[in-house]
Amino acid sequence: MEQLIPTINKLQDVFNTVGREYIQLPQIVVTGTQSSGKSSVLESLVGRDFLPRGTGIVTRRPLILQLIHTDPDSEGGEVEYGKFLHLGDQRFTDFLEIRDEIQRETDRVSGTNKGISSEPISLKIFSPHVLNLTLVDTPGITKVPIGDQPADIEKQMRELVLSYTKNPNCLILAVSPANQDLATSEALKLAKYVDSQGNRTLCVCTKLDLMDRGTDAMDALMGRVVPVKLGIIGVVNRSQHDINSNKPIQTAIKDEMLFFQRKYPSLVGKCGTIYLARVLNKLLIHHIKECLPELKTRINVMIAQYQTVLATYGEPVDEKGPQLLQTITKFASTYCDTIEGTAKDIQTAELCGGARICYIFHETFGRTLSSVDPLEGLSTTDILTAIRNATGPRPALFVPEIAFELLVKRQIQRLQDPSVRCVELVYDELQRIIQHCGRHIRDLNRFVKLHDKIVEVVTALLRTRLQPTNQMVEHLISIELAYINTNHPDFIGGATVVSDWMQRETNQRRRNRQHVGEGKAGGEKDKDKKSLVKPDSAVTSSGFWLFGGRGGRKDDSAAVAESEAEEDKDYDAPMMKSSSVDTPVERGWSFVNHTDVPLAGAQDLTSKQKMEVELIGVHFVVDCFVASKITFTLLEGLIKSYFQIVKKNIQDSVPKAVMHFLVNHVKQKIQSELVGALYKEAEFDVLLEESEQIAARRNEAAEMLAALRKASQVVSEVRDLQLY
């Protein structure tokens, strides 16, 4: 059992060499208020004066004190000496020099004007008169700042003490003076904060000889005031007069026993410094026994962790040429694998690489094209004006092909911006893949300059391919604009458009006349329905609309004229009188009122001639409206049909062009471009220069791994020890 404490001391030394407490080791933490007697208790346990003395706050840095029992029968075993961790193997046989060194080291870090520091001092004391113990002497808890102490000294001191006592593997030695009420003990309060069950708290009651006459600490020592699970032990330390007169500690311990025999005879066997040392030794051994299995597991887990960490930083580079070529090849293959979707580190949080490019093609670009309205930006006036401008001074017998091409090209041109935007999105994603690969390739994190150079070369390669890709996409639009193929098998043609429109108008006309017939008295039956298209208009066999004005028709047959007049009466009445049918203007159709156009020689016409012109003009306007509406509908349908054909072509050809001119070209050329630009012997040293942070982290990880391996070896020394 006694071998356990030296084992923990060795582990303490191992982890102190790396500067941080990576493993929570079993130890005893001494806490208490300022001038409560902590230092005197420690000196009594050692049996020598070695701690700084004075008024006010003296202990200003934590002191890790390892007491190591030596065999007095062995060679040199009777010699008492101390060793500081920060001074290596230097021995101090004069304990006054140990006191001076503690003072110097404290002043070096904390200053000379009452400042404090959390950086510990490690001291080993070898003596045949001590029991194996590991203790931590913390600065006394204070509330009012003095000297160079900060205004929040109480908070800082509390946090410093808690940083040690919150370790579940430590025992808490709470020191409280007997001449103060134990219920107000600050040390027990802090211990209760981190050890609510009291399973690792032991209380030491000091200054029993300074209590007022007529009072004693029997109730406190028996646990009747504040119960402490591990017990309350009373001690009597040397007074300041005894210290000033250099009273030996051995003499003080004898006087202590006499005091308890006289004042507390029933507690003689459970009080005093000697009993305290035995209890602490026993508690620490059993505590280590409970913590050791978990400690072994923790050390093994940390060894595996730091092996992985060290592997991520890599080894120092000896042969730089192969290392550079290997890094370049790995980046190029990772870049291509990310595009193809075969990379090892597949993202689960967001789309990346080839998957995002696919999303751009089929979702972003596809939705954008689908949302483009074939007739957006084309008003009825624009279409009719284009038709009239295309026919010149001649009246239109057919839908002008020039107007159709002019309008459909105008709409096709609108597909260029979404196509170019698609190229930009893919280019941006290829740029993002560079950063993605840089983060997942270990060597690029080590060699910062190489990483920056690779980013520069690949970015330049992408930039050189951006312009040809944009040009190709623009050419695809230009190709569609170069030739309007009205003989395309998917093009619906004019006959289909007119037939669909006539069917819709016939159905609407039927509903309108039915509505008018219901309003007539007597419930007369509706007259036979008549086709919307009058005999003076016709659809040519080619599917284009042929129309003429009523004013231009001449017929010598009076019977025919009367018949047509009757027909016109039936035809025009619902159109002109029914409130359910909109007028041309109300329908929103725009046309030219020919009665407003000045006619040559109109001033020479007689009144009858003018009336005839006006009547002719009225009939002509009505027919012109119907013809214009049909022509507009026909042209609108043709534009929609052809635009859909072009849109499908663009939606299919743009992704292919982007893949060929940009994505696939970069995949094929990235390896050769990187090797050609970077594999130059003169630049090896510059490109493979490690970051200072990476080098420092690798050294730190290597030191920690060595310490853990040594700790594992130390723990294995007690593997065969019978612990239970």
Side-chain angles (χ1 to χ4, degrees), residues 391-415:
T391 57
R394 298 171 298 281
L397 298 178
F398 302 96
V399 174
E401 186 174 337
I402 296 177
F404 168 71
E405 289 195 7
L406 175 66
L407 295 175
V408 81
K409 285 181 179 180
R410 175 178 168 182
Q411 298 306 98
I412 292 173
Q413 188 67 39
R414 295 171 52 225
L415 298 177

Side-chain angles (χ1 to χ4, degrees), residues 94-112:
D94 186 352
F95 281 78
L96 294 179
E97 292 182 1
I98 293 178
R99 175 189 295 176
D100 294 339
E101 179 59 29
I102 293 175
Q103 188 65 53
R104 283 195 298 268
E105 185 66 12
T106 300
D107 293 342
R108 183 183 65 83
V109 176
S110 303
T112 59

Side-chain angles (χ1 to χ4, degrees), residues 41-42 49 55 172 195 203 241 440 509:
V41 171
L42 293 178
D49 292 328
T55 58
I172 303 173
D195 181 29
C203 180
H241 174 72
H440 289 80
R509 185 70 176 278

Side-chain angles (χ1 to χ4, degrees), residues 124-145:
K124 289 182 180 180
I125 293 181
F126 300 82
S127 172
H129 308 298
V130 299
L131 295 176
N132 291 326
L133 288 175
T134 301
L135 305 105
V136 179
D137 184 19
T138 59
I141 302 171
T142 185
K143 296 181 179 296
V144 180

Side-chain angles (χ1 to χ4, degrees), residues 19 62 120 132 139 194 212 265 288 290 336 365 390 492 511 540 544 558 572 595 599 623 657 713:
N132 291 326
V194 295
D212 294 337
I288 292 173
E290 294 175 357
C336 296
F365 181 59
I492 62 173
R511 288 191 295 270
T540 65
F544 289 102
D572 292 335
T595 60
L599 300 176
D623 282 1
Q713 182 180 358

Side-chain angles (χ1 to χ4, degrees), residues 11 143 157 161 180 183 192 237-238 260 371 395 428 451 509 513 579 583 591 651 668 678 686 690 709:
L11 293 177
K143 296 181 179 296
M157 198 71 72
V161 173
Q180 295 180 7
K192 185 75 173 179
N237 299 322
R238 294 179 299 169
F260 282 112
S371 64
D428 293 341
H451 176 270
R509 185 70 176 278
R513 295 189 61 181
S579 60
T583 63
F591 57 87
Q651 190 170 355
Q668 295 169 2
L678 302 180
V686 176
E690 267 191 323
R709 286 172 175 168

